Amino acid sequence: ENSTHSFRPTHWWNGLPLDPSSVDDDTVTNVPPPPLYTGWTRPTNTCPYYRTFYKSQAKEFTETEHGNIYRPLYNRFCDILGLVHNNSQHDF
């Protein structure tokens, strides 16, 4: 397997752009975040976010430009689990 650590992804695994504001189409900017990929075998031409140029941002993914669309889901999980969800402070 080739190294993907210098790769700068532009799209999610399902083809939607990482940055919806880069598209002048309201149908793209008004859609919910792509479902998180939970399969064991990655789709062709994809790799995990933490194995790209953005690896250093992976631990704070929901606070990044790309992952902030998942922050409400993250906060909801923290609430359900009774965990504190302060920004950049991993209390759990």
Side-chain angles (χ1 to χ4, degrees):
E1 185 173 321
N2 294 331
S3 174
T4 56
H5 294 290
S6 64
F7 181 65
R8 293 179 188 233
T10 58
H11 291 76
W12 294 104
W13 65 272
N14 66 352
L16 289 175
L18 280 179
D19 180 10
S21 66
S22 66
V23 179
D24 294 331
D25 184 354
D26 284 339
T27 61
V28 173
T29 57
N30 294 322
V31 297
L36 296 173
Y37 186 75
T38 59
W40 290 102
T41 305
R42 292 189 302 269
T44 304
N45 296 323
T46 66
C47 66
Y49 193 80
Y50 62 85
R51 289 191 180 168
T52 70
F53 174 82
Y54 302 112
K55 179 180 180 171
S56 64
Q57 300 175 17
K59 289 185 180 181
E60 289 85 28
F61 178 66
T62 63
E63 299 171 23
T64 67
E65 171 186 12
H66 302 140
N68 66 4
I69 58 175
Y70 293 103
R71 191 65 188 193
L73 178 62
Y74 173 85
N75 290 340
R76 184 168 170 228
F77 285 149
C78 287
D79 289 342
I80 290 169
L81 296 170
L83 303 172
V84 177
H85 49 84
N86 295 332
N87 289 349
S88 298
Q89 295 179 9
H90 306 289
D91 297 331
F92 41 88

